[in-house]
């Protein structure tokens, strides 16, 4: 990486521009995260409904088998989404 990119001089010379760039990049990262979460939730819901239509209870283990990246289900956000969908289908009280 060129040294000028890590230079604090840029921040001293162009503080407002650096702030705008940083803010825009943060917004971009947040948008990417949100989009990825929505994609995973959609894939997870498809797996849940597929299992439900087959007459199988959509457990976390069963859903993981159908996901392209099952590691996402370790995140509490996705486990909560699974619980909510299971509630809607009548599997949870």
């Amino acid at each position: 990486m060129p040294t000028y990119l890590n230079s604090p001089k840029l921040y001293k010379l162009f503080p407002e521009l650096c702030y705008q760039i940083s803010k825009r990049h943060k917004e971009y990262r947040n948008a990417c995260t949100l989009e990825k979460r929505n994609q995973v939730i959609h894939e997870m819901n498809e797996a849940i409904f597929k299992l439900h239509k087959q007459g199988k209870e959509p457990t976390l283990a069963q859903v993981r088998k159908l996901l392209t990246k099952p590691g996402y289900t370790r995140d509490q956000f996705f486990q909560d989404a699974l619980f909510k969908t299971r509630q809607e289908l009548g599997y949870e009280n």
Side-chain angles (χ1 to χ4, degrees), residues 17-43:
L17 184 59
C18 289
Y19 171 77
Q20 290 173 357
I21 292 170
S22 295
K23 182 180 175 187
R24 203 166 104 201
H25 182 66
K26 183 178 179 181
E27 290 169 355
Y28 169 76
R29 284 193 331 249
N30 289 341
C32 288
T33 299
L34 183 61
E35 182 179 335
K36 186 64 176 174
R37 276 188 170 190
N38 288 337
Q39 288 174 351
V40 174
I41 293 289
H42 178 72
E43 182 183 4

Side-chain angles (χ1 to χ4, degrees), residues 29-70:
R29 284 193 331 249
N30 289 341
C32 288
T33 299
L34 183 61
E35 182 179 335
K36 186 64 176 174
R37 276 188 170 190
N38 288 337
Q39 288 174 351
V40 174
I41 293 289
H42 178 72
E43 182 183 4
M44 195 166 66
N45 283 337
E46 284 183 347
I48 292 168
F49 288 115
K50 180 178 181 179
L51 290 167
H52 180 69
K53 284 181 183 179
Q54 293 174 354
K56 299 177 183 176
E57 183 175 347
T59 62
L60 182 60
Q62 293 295 326
V63 171
R64 279 184 176 153
K65 291 177 184 178
L66 299 175
L67 298 178
T68 55
K69 294 192 176 186

